[in-house]
Amino acid sequence: MTINYGDDLQKAELQAGGIMSPRAQLVSAFFDHMNQQDLPWVVMNNYDGLPAIIPSDIDFSIPPTLFFRLDEFICDFAEKSDALLVQKLWHGNMKCAYILATGPKGSREFVQLDFFAAFSTKGAPALISHEDLVAGRRALRNFHVPRPEIELIFTALRRLFKDDWSDRHCSRVAELNEYITDTDWLPKDYVWIRPTLESAIRGDVEAVNKRRNSDWAQLRKTAHKNLTLREKIANATLQARRLVVRLRDETGQLIILAACRERLSDQALDTLEMVFHRRVFVNVKGGIGMLAKLALLKRRKGLIFVLAGADHPNGKAMAQRIASMGLADQVLHTGDDLSVDLAALKIPATRFSSDSEAIEVIMNIQVAKTIGALARGCTQTSGTAN
């Protein structure tokens, strides 16, 4: 059984102007790098336009032997490709993500690579093993994709977890179903989801969503049945350690902006949406509760700007409190708005004259934080947690 994927690459290149973007070239190079490892791996979904068109994060299923040394593997690739490792996120048991930056200064592009060694979700570990995910995999351009049966189950379970079924997802399930010829293909552990799949194939999103609560209960029951008591305890212990590491390593930043808010355009900051999940502007004095929230947000991919220009006296007072507690990473200023009291703060200060200069400063701060996090280790991908 072979799926006819058509001329997607040629169409994608035409849509991209005939030349792949820097991040598309990086992804293509990473696929080649993966192929050189002689290990079974697949890109699980949203792969139709890859590598020329990258619609979202790229999800990889890889064997545990590679997962355990993933930090070094990604760093080596980034160095060889002249890319920068901007973020590492430990999402769960045998699940993590890396965000790479590529392209010249002033026009950086970002791509997020997600890896897992078995499909699982929060509260439902051990759903589909890596061996099942790669069994019967198929080559597409310079990467590999799963067989239709396993991608269909993966798609349905993922939408169930995210609780975001849509017409587009139903269309994808229906499309995959067309390539399945075996009438008895659904594994016995997942027969409970058959009514949902049938509704999705018909395009009945309302019926799919009505079954969400009962399907979620079945999903968790299936996941826990796949684990022994010892494995459940080990998983809970690992999740606790992961929480400690995520509180230890800052995946966000706090910037004191000693300039007019308008000096940083939203369009420029939007380029960092993949690097930081939240963007917050602060212009209040705030108390200990606010400071605690900002400290936590720095560890949850938050990009915080404390407005401390001449027109923001409250933000300037907040900036001084933040600096005294060691929460600030950088002062960004245009020269004119850097007051004497802010200049006296023991915080690195950088003058910027354009959006691109500010973005480069913010990105380099996060690169340094990520390097420090990798050096501290104690995660599954660093080898020290195994």
Side-chain angles (χ1 to χ4, degrees), residues 73-263:
F73 182 76
I74 295 294
C75 287
D76 287 347
F77 169 75
E79 184 176 1
K80 293 175 182 176
S81 305
D82 197 25
L84 295 172
L85 177 56
V86 184
Q87 287 274 33
K88 177 199 171 181
L89 306 167
W90 188 7
H91 286 315
N93 192 354
M94 304 297 281
K95 294 174 62 179
C96 74
Y98 299 83
I99 300 174
L100 300 175
T102 188
K105 291 182 179 180
S107 56
R108 300 289 191 182
E109 298 181 8
F110 301 93
V111 63
Q112 179 167 326
L113 309 177
D114 285 40
F115 299 90
F116 47 80
F119 175 56
S120 61
T121 64
K122 185 178 180 181
L127 290 172
I128 309 175
S129 69
H130 170 71
E131 291 74 19
D132 285 340
L133 292 172
V134 299
R137 66 178 183 153
R138 308 183 187 286
L140 175 61
R141 304 178 197 115
N142 62 336
F143 58 97
H144 303 272
V145 299
R147 67 189 190 276
E149 295 89 342
I150 205 69
E151 184 184 346
L152 195 155
I153 297 175
F154 172 85
T155 299
L157 297 185
R158 190 163 188 176
R159 302 282 61 88
L160 174 58
F161 164 66
K162 291 180 175 289
D163 194 16
D164 63 352
W165 274 99
S166 67
D167 290 333
R168 178 174 62 88
H169 298 128
C170 289
S171 295
R172 182 58 176 172
V173 167
E175 180 185 3
L176 291 168
N177 184 66
E178 290 181 0
Y179 298 112
I180 301 173
T181 57
D182 186 357
T183 57
D184 193 29
W185 66 271
L186 191 63
K188 58 182 177 64
D189 286 342
Y190 293 102
V191 292
W192 50 267
I193 204 172
R194 187 184 298 277
T196 298
L197 297 181
E198 292 173 347
S199 296
I201 292 168
R202 294 194 307 269
D204 191 345
V205 180
E206 183 178 356
V208 170
N209 287 325
K210 282 183 178 180
R211 290 186 53 84
R212 202 273 171 176
N213 291 338
S214 60
D215 282 350
W216 178 245
Q218 286 288 345
L219 180 68
R220 297 198 65 181
K221 185 183 299 184
T222 300
H224 286 284
K225 186 176 66 174
N226 292 341
L227 294 176
T228 65
L229 177 60
R230 183 176 181 178
E231 289 171 333
K232 292 176 183 176
I233 295 173
N235 180 68
T237 302
L238 184 73
Q239 296 295 357
R241 183 165 60 201
R242 183 180 69 89
L243 177 60
V244 171
V245 170
R246 295 201 68 174
L247 290 174
R248 180 197 71 183
D249 299 331
E250 293 184 352
T251 53
Q253 288 181 38
L254 194 153
I255 304 293
I256 296 175
L257 182 61
C260 296
R261 162 69 183 86
E262 292 73 21
R263 292 302 300 268

